[in-house]
Amino acid sequence: MGPHDELAFTAHWAAHDLGEVVVSAADLRERIAELGQAISRDYDGHPPLLVCVLKGAINFMSDLMRAIELPVEVEFMAVSSYGAATKTSGVVRIVKDLDVDIADRDVLIVEDVVDSGLTLNYLRQYLGARSPASLEVCALLLKEGEQRVEQDLKYVGFSIGPAFVVGYGLDVSERYRNLDGIYTYVGEA
Ligand code: IMP
């Protein structure tokens, strides 16, 4: 099955806004299973608290947590760094904070995509100040060469090019989060 067959099959209703498949649903499944195994191994005996960064990481979080064979706990935070545009503003706003104390917990931030790195940099400092036992990151996508802030990412799903992408949780103006795969966006910015 070529990329266009998959596009036609999964997303005919969005096809006019979508370019090529960047990561297929099948590749997501395979890689997330691997990430789950790595996390299960690394955190054996001290299961992490998974902190999902809403909304973009919802699909990833949902699949990743089921790929981990440890009694993990899950929490959610919401941050906003983009508004409705496709370029980063550099301004990060906490829209929803954690509901639990993370002191002495092994915290694993589950993030959708690291682009400039500004969002993650802010989150790390914000959560790091609450004295977790450890604080690491599992990012589904890393935009290569785009980081303005140096990042130490413990787990990365896929390195991708700089193009703006949608699907599997990632949006443009709140749309296309419900696509099964990840596609370049070629509609209006
Ligand atoms: P950063 O602060 O520039 O690293 O941007 C991180 C956030 O911007 C991510 O958590 C996403 O919500 C959003 N973002 C960055 N690149 C994309 C993209 O290609 N598609 C959709 N959202 C993106």
Side-chain angles (χ1 to χ4, degrees):
M1 194 162 80
H4 294 292
D5 299 331
E6 175 157 342
L7 180 65
F9 180 68
T10 60
H12 59 92
W13 51 272
H16 59 284
D17 276 344
L18 304 181
E20 66 195 31
V21 179
V22 177
V23 188
S24 70
D27 288 347
L28 284 166
R29 272 193 298 278
E30 191 181 314
R31 182 73 185 121
I32 291 168
E34 290 172 2
L35 290 172
Q37 281 170 17
I39 292 169
S40 305
R41 196 175 52 235
D42 295 348
Y43 286 88
D44 191 17
H46 53 113
L49 174 69
L50 304 178
V51 174
C52 173
V53 185
L54 294 170
K55 301 176 193 170
I58 49 173
N59 304 43
F60 182 39
M61 176 71 147
S62 172
D63 287 338
L64 181 69
M65 65 193 265
R66 286 177 287 176
I68 299 174
E69 297 181 89
L70 296 172
V72 295
E73 294 176 36
V74 299
E75 284 291 328
F76 298 87
M77 282 187 81
V79 301
S80 166
S81 62
Y82 265 50
T86 55
K87 293 235 163 58
T88 187
S89 64
V91 178
V92 180
R93 198 162 53 92
I94 302 278
V95 178
K96 182 206 172 308
D97 208 334
L98 290 178
D99 297 323
V100 296
D101 183 9
I102 60 165
D104 301 324
R105 301 295 305 269
D106 290 294
V107 175
L108 183 58
I109 299 174
V110 178
E111 176 62 301
D112 53 0
V113 48
V114 178
D115 185 3
S116 70
L118 291 169
T119 306
L120 200 52
N121 191 50
Y122 180 86
L123 266 179
R124 256 195 223 269
Q125 290 179 15
Y126 188 77
L127 296 177
R130 298 184 185 176
S131 313
S134 65
L135 182 60
E136 301 288 355
V137 176
C138 180
L140 179 62
L141 305 174
L142 173 65
K143 287 198 175 171
E144 279 193 332
E146 295 295 303
Q147 286 71 56
R148 274 188 267 158
V149 181
E150 213 40 57
Q151 293 293 340
D152 169 25
L153 307 173
K154 191 168 169 88
Y155 308 98
V156 173
F158 300 89
S159 291
I160 62 169
F164 194 81
V165 294
V166 296
Y168 197 69
L170 295 160
D171 75 308
V172 58
S173 302
E174 298 301 327
R175 289 177 300 135
Y176 298 145
R177 296 191 197 276
N178 57 323
L179 293 167
D180 257 3
I182 296 172
Y183 302 83
T184 55
Y185 177 73
V186 297
E188 283 176 29

